[in-house]
Amino acid sequence: MAGFHDIIGHDDIIRHLKNAIETGKVSHSYIFTGEPGSGKKLLAGTFAAALQCESGESEPCMTCDSCKKVIGKNHPDIITVTHEKPGSISIDEVRDQVVRDVDIKPYCSPYKIYIIPDAEMMTVQAQNAILKTIEEPPEYAVIMLLTSNIDSLLPTIRSRCVRLDLKVVDDSLVKEYLMEHLQVPDYQAEIDASYAQGSIGKAKEAATSQEFADMTANALKILKYANSMEVYELTEAIKTLAADKNNINDYLDIFQFWFRDVLMFKATREIDNLVFKQEINFIREQASERSYENIEKILEALEKTKVRLRANVNLELALELLFLTIREK
């Protein structure tokens, strides 16, 4: 479990939550909203731990009985709502885990806290059921709704909760975090941070996944030699990519970073801002071989390929069209 001081970014939200604890002005209901992997669970969990901590400070102490229960994931007064069906939280689940339970006083803590991850999955009936508790909560109740799609919550719920918007974390902070906490080498941290687009969760996943490392290596092999590949080699490369259908968008992201690097280097001749610094020789070569127009065309083709795939166009065909553009000089 992390304390607030271990959380990367989100300074304004952390200030707000700590201030609420220090002044005793804790709201009965909060909405944490942000992209998947932006840190909603971590912030809500840390806030819950701090509220229940016996030290009475705005940081959880990690050593009192309450914090030990949080670390052991068995705190009786911090309830995380679970659901059976993968895509929805039913009215019965909300009634059993929150609405009926909230009348029972806390067992051993000042608050009774309910955390609802993926709150956008609550059915309209489930939202209406919890609305009454949000409108007339017992003194000790705190409800935290975590969502990556706030528009799917009823306006009546939105208007009664304190809304905390999680912004994406700056790439340089994500990179620093990966290097310091996960000992990821500089160049790999740069790639992982760019790929994660401000999401610490996504960055951690990329940094610790062998699959992502293999994917990056495979993508680079194609990108470095796309110009000089024989037609049969290119056909093989397309087949390999098409076979890895689940990761195709990640591949396209990596391709985009590469050609942005080529464009950036062509325009500035500077290495500092490149994602793939360690491949500077290949990037320099491609920057001198390709015109600005050609690179822009490739970046447009990459966007088009993403659109085509969302429209369920044949994958191999979409990739063939993309590679034709990449091979044009």
Side-chain angles (χ1 to χ4, degrees):
M1 188 186 87
F4 284 123
H5 52 78
D6 294 320
I7 296 175
I8 309 293
H10 309 307
D11 297 349
D12 294 348
I13 292 178
I14 290 171
R15 208 174 297 119
H16 175 91
L17 296 174
K18 289 175 84 166
N19 189 42
I21 298 170
E22 284 158 12
T23 57
K25 291 182 177 158
V26 176
S27 170
H28 285 295
S29 44
Y30 291 88
I31 294 174
F32 291 79
T33 171
E35 293 292 315
S38 56
K40 300 183 289 289
K41 272 194 184 121
L42 185 60
L43 275 167
T46 307
F47 184 39
L51 284 171
Q52 306 291 41
C53 178
E54 290 159 28
S55 71
E57 301 294 320
S58 59
E59 278 279 357
C61 72
M62 308 292 189
T63 54
C64 69
D65 275 353
S66 175
C67 283
K68 281 179 185 157
K69 287 187 178 109
V70 172
I71 293 166
K73 294 188 171 39
N74 57 4
H75 199 300
D77 295 320
I78 299 176
I79 296 104
T80 300
V81 172
T82 56
H83 52 102
E84 287 292 312
K85 276 197 192 153
S88 89
I89 302 172
S90 71
I91 183 168
D92 290 337
E93 286 163 333
V94 164
R95 274 190 187 140
D96 292 345
Q97 296 174 63
V98 185
V99 180
R100 293 189 188 117
D101 187 81
V102 79
D103 292 332
I104 303 164
K105 288 200 164 80
Y107 291 99
C108 55
S109 306
Y111 296 97
K112 198 150 186 197
I113 299 170
Y114 297 88
I115 298 174
I116 306 182
D118 308 312
E120 71 276 3
M121 289 183 189
M122 285 191 288
T123 62
V124 174
Q125 293 85 346
Q127 291 191 48
N128 278 317
I130 205 170
L131 182 60
K132 189 152 171 36
T133 308
I134 288 174
E135 286 176 332
E136 296 166 21
E139 246 332 84
Y140 48 76
V142 178
I143 295 171
M144 304 184 199
L145 307 174
L146 320 185
T147 181
S148 46
N149 178 11
I150 191 163
D151 295 334
S152 59
L153 296 177
L154 296 173
T156 40
I157 287 184
R158 295 204 298 260
S159 66
R160 284 171 175 77
C161 298
V162 172
R163 174 176 169 170
L164 302 168
D165 285 275
L166 279 69
K167 307 268 186 300
V168 293
V169 181
D170 193 80
D171 278 5
S172 59
L173 286 175
V174 177
K175 181 183 166 186
E176 200 177 298
Y177 171 84
L178 293 175
M179 288 167 70
E180 276 179 22
H181 293 260
L182 299 176
Q183 279 67 57
V184 176
D186 180 316
Y187 67 90
Q188 187 63 45
E190 187 86 53
I191 297 164
D192 296 339
S194 301
Y195 162 76
Q197 295 174 340
S199 155
I200 286 276
K202 208 170 163 190
K204 268 176 158 169
E205 211 174 289
T208 53
S209 144
Q210 188 53 47
E211 189 182 15
F212 186 74
D214 295 344
M215 209 164 65
T216 307
N218 192 20
L220 285 176
K221 202 165 76 189
I222 296 169
L223 289 162
K224 291 189 317 204
Y225 303 109
N227 280 356
S228 53
M229 274 183 182
E230 297 293 335
V231 175
Y232 76 89
E233 291 176 302
L234 207 53
T235 313
E236 279 305 305
I238 290 172
K239 279 210 167 77
T240 309
L241 288 181
D244 197 358
K245 203 158 92 199
N246 294 340
N247 291 321
I248 196 67
N249 277 315
D250 293 339
Y251 272 114
L252 294 173
D253 282 345
I254 294 169
F255 284 19
Q256 272 177 321
F257 299 145
W258 177 270
F259 287 108
R260 276 190 209 135
D261 274 3
V262 174
L263 184 63
M264 180 85 93
F265 185 76
K266 190 174 180 68
T268 64
R269 316 301 292 173
E270 282 172 13
I271 299 173
D272 282 358
N273 293 323
L274 303 184
V275 174
F276 295 107
K277 292 186 184 65
Q278 85 282 14
E279 303 296 351
I280 183 58
N281 292 339
F282 288 96
I283 285 171
R284 186 182 282 120
E285 188 186 323
Q286 292 195 16
S288 64
E289 283 176 357
R290 295 182 182 279
S291 65
Y292 283 112
E293 197 184 357
N294 172 237
I295 304 167
E296 292 286 5
K297 224 173 170 177
I298 292 171
L299 288 167
E300 272 168 35
L302 280 159
E303 279 304 334
K304 254 186 217 150
T305 307
K306 286 184 175 180
V307 172
R308 284 183 179 131
L309 295 183
R310 280 200 293 274
N312 285 328
V313 171
N314 176 297
L315 180 55
E316 282 197 31
L317 180 66
L319 290 173
E320 273 170 33
L321 291 169
L322 171 65
F323 277 98
L324 281 173
T325 311
I326 289 176
R327 280 178 67 89
E328 278 173 20
K329 280 291 197 323

